[in-house]
Amino acid sequence: RLWKRLYVNAFENALNAIPNVKGVLLAYNTNIDAIKYLDKDDLEKRVTEIGKEKVFEIIENPPEKISSIEELLGGILRSIKLGKAMEWFVESEEVRRYLREWGWDELRIGGQAGIMANLLGGVYRIPTIVHVPQNPKLQAELFVDGPIYVPVFEGNKLKLVHPKDAIAEEEELIHYIYEFPRGFQVFDVQAPRENRFIANADDYNARVYMRREFREGFEEITRNVELAIISGLQVLKEYYPDGTTYRDVLDRVESHLNILNRYNVKSHFEFAYTANRRVREALVELLPKFTSVGLNEVELASIMEIIGDEELAKEVLEGHIFSVIDAMNVLMDETGIERIHFHTYGYYLALTQYRGEEVRDALLFASLAAAAKAMKGNLERIEQIRDALSVPTNERAIVLEEELEKEFTEFENGLIDMVDRQLAFVPTKIVASPKSTVGIGDTISSSAFVSEFGMR
Ligand code: 8BR
């Protein structure tokens, strides 16, 4: 009953506060997601055409990237066989033509920055500046109407316009997403669960390409915002064939952070899982320049492998809440970052170097936004989030709450005073049969970050 009341209050508080946010910047990854729901007959025909034997060989010896049509189809079949999400980069022009001709059922804006632009600008109506590495018509039209802007040079002055008003003959950065349901069958290969295979035909976001307006006009862009959310760095590799490295990209990101800090713009880093350990280390080293970081259990564990120890990493992955709290404290000790927002299935935590009920209320609002998105698949108006108030609050998290109460005597209304820090805990709303859980992590982090700022 306590949480019911807190949820209702938090929603009203966030709804009132969001219009206070004057501007947010989202960088760097935006692309086109082209979704295709796989069809058994069509896929079998394509595999037969190219040679069933060659394709089946790929299933067992995955190249992890695509330079031929057999490799594309083999990748899809491997993903189906294992029921595993996979993403392979498409290196060949011939395969890119094949993908385009094969087509899609649906187009959506993709990339964390792109997706968050449609949420923060399109749904929350916060003036939003978004980085688009390229701005072709196909992508620009996927941005919803609303205060969403890209910077464009007019002579040497920067102007802010909706992406649809800045369409250029630039490249289409397409991520082809092949979805299959549980039990989907091609030949004798059957999917143990639903999942997707992604053929990534996007050379720009893979290297965190920054367009000229951001390289030359970043200071001017910064003057228009109070908040910034940085994402898309998880794809960086240690070396590139042309001799450049992730350092070259991170140096540019760092110079952007220096400007944001000079203008007192609060910045949030969305820490998506970063496969390369060197890059992951470098991202942790960059955290002191950010105000806030958002992550899930897999990502927090992967950081503990670097700055904590294997044991703690393992416990975080297994979901022990006290280990998660320890890990968050370790990360704050190590980086000095002011705010860490952790989300997992069933509850969220925020560790902050400041106090206030708005930290908890922002988490509650984020939980409602996540549940509304899980329910509806896509949000159109902020008022739709109110419907999530009727979704049941996770029962299992109430047990965790009792454990926290035992450990921390001063635990009250989801807030724990930790001398120089505050820990906020909220049990989340869980939608029983979600339409989709794609992009919910970004919804959670960005909703909490902007609404907390609006309420402060
Ligand atoms: P990540 O992809 O970053 O892990 O974010 C996914 C988040 O979505 C989870 O942490 C969880 O909180 C939330 N979520 C999932 Br998964 N399923 C959900 C559901 N059915 N209802 C509400 N939230 C959900």
Side-chain angles (χ1 to χ4, degrees), residues 200-249:
N200 181 332
D202 166 3
D203 300 311
Y204 286 71
N205 289 295
R207 311 190 47 155
V208 193
Y209 172 86
M210 294 174 200
R211 62 183 303 127
R212 187 168 76 93
E213 291 82 352
F214 275 69
R215 279 182 272 124
E216 295 171 14
F218 196 79
E219 189 153 346
E220 185 59 34
I221 292 169
T222 298
R223 288 200 192 100
N224 292 281
V225 298
E226 294 182 317
L227 300 174
I229 302 179
I230 305 296
S231 60
L233 305 181
Q234 67 274 9
V235 297
L236 288 173
K237 292 211 221 133
E238 214 168 325
Y239 304 103
Y240 291 93
D242 64 358
T244 61
T245 75
Y246 66 98
R247 276 269 43 116
D248 299 299
V249 173

Side-chain angles (χ1 to χ4, degrees), residues 93-143:
E93 277 311 316
E94 182 206 355
V95 178
R96 289 188 182 190
R97 279 193 298 276
Y98 182 92
L99 287 163
R100 239 204 117 100
E101 274 167 36
W102 196 0
W104 46 74
D105 297 313
E106 244 171 81
L107 291 178
R108 275 189 228 141
I109 197 72
Q112 292 149 304
I115 292 169
M116 290 190 280
N118 273 354
L119 178 71
L120 303 185
V123 182
Y124 298 170
R125 298 285 175 179
I126 299 169
T128 298
I129 301 178
V130 59
H131 176 259
V132 291
Q134 299 281 275
N135 195 36
K137 185 161 184 280
L138 195 66
Q139 178 182 279
E141 288 176 343
L142 301 173
F143 282 107

Side-chain angles (χ1 to χ4, degrees), residues 296 299 343-346 348 370-371 374 429-432 434 437 440-441 444:
N296 68 13
E299 292 143 12
H343 64 91
T344 190
Y345 191 85
Y348 310 153
K429 302 277 182 186
I430 294 287
V431 175
T437 56
I440 292 195
I444 295 167

